Amino acid sequence: MTKDASSKGQRGDAATRSGKHTRQLILDAAAEVMFRDGYAGTKLADIAEIAGIRAPAIYRHFSSRDDLVDEVMTVGHQRFIEHVTSIIDALPATATPLDRILAAVAGHLEVALTISHYAAASTRNMSQMPDDIRERQQELRREYGAIWRRHLTEAAEAGQLQPDLNLYAAQGLIIGALSWANEWWDPERQNLQAVIRNAQDLVRSGIGR
């Protein structure tokens, strides 16, 4: 999968890099480990190995493991907001509210499956987060949910959705189903565009009229 740009070929002696670059390498490595092993399985030693540094050096940039985890989660949620917003904004002025919902479906799957370990890690690990991290992440989750809620509401007002549709439930079901794709998608069995088309067909048939 094409993921966040942290090239292993660039990893090496951290002493030759700027502090900012080293910090980014640590974040990229942490996102990779969290995506692969989950919150409980995320170990600083594994992060350090991928980043090409010694584990104690992580504490020069992050006060604790959970501080690092919290930032990965924040970046992940921001990736969803930024990418889905950009996909919707790129639509022509003639796009309908339902078109924007279907574009959001594509954007969510793109960022979660092929663009960002951060985004995938944020969806995979949210339920495992300690209460204090989960509470801090809620604001970004609400911001992302507001994107969907706005376009679902506009589609309903335009008469494009089933008249008895519960928008709150529809939003939760759609985002939940899209986020679960990280657990089953195999690019060797079905390419991304095919998954997107299937998901869009399901959403259009399920909530549209």
Side-chain angles (χ1 to χ4, degrees), residues 108-202:
H108 185 107
L109 289 172
E110 287 170 353
V111 73
L113 297 181
T114 64
I115 294 176
S116 178
H117 273 311
Y118 288 90
S122 70
T123 56
R124 177 169 286 183
N125 289 283
M126 188 63 180
S127 64
Q128 303 176 38
M129 288 297 105
D131 289 344
D132 57 335
I133 295 179
R134 188 182 299 111
E135 289 172 7
R136 284 194 294 274
Q137 295 299 322
Q138 286 304 324
E139 183 176 351
L140 286 171
R141 285 170 64 86
R142 284 192 291 269
E143 184 178 345
Y144 184 58
I147 297 170
W148 287 85
R149 185 163 56 255
R150 179 171 67 255
H151 297 302
L152 283 165
T153 299
E154 290 175 356
E157 291 173 348
Q160 292 188 287
L161 303 185
Q162 297 292 335
D164 58 348
L165 187 70
N166 182 307
L167 298 185
Y168 176 80
Q171 176 178 318
L173 289 167
I174 293 169
I175 295 176
L178 296 175
S179 297
W180 192 251
N182 281 116
E183 302 298 328
W184 57 260
W185 182 58
D186 180 354
E188 295 184 0
R189 297 185 62 183
Q190 190 177 40
N191 66 45
L192 177 64
Q193 291 307 312
V195 173
I196 288 173
R197 288 193 299 272
N198 288 164
Q200 289 175 325
D201 287 344
L202 286 169

Side-chain angles (χ1 to χ4, degrees), residues 26-68:
I26 294 168
L27 275 170
D28 291 345
E32 184 176 332
V33 173
M34 286 175 63
F35 171 73
R36 184 188 68 202
D37 299 333
Y39 171 74
T42 295
K43 299 178 176 61
L44 293 184
D46 294 338
I47 294 169
E49 181 180 359
I50 292 172
I53 61 173
R54 295 180 180 275
I58 293 174
Y59 291 107
R60 298 175 190 166
H61 303 274
F62 300 92
S63 62
S64 67
R65 172 180 176 270
D66 276 359
D67 180 36
L68 174 55

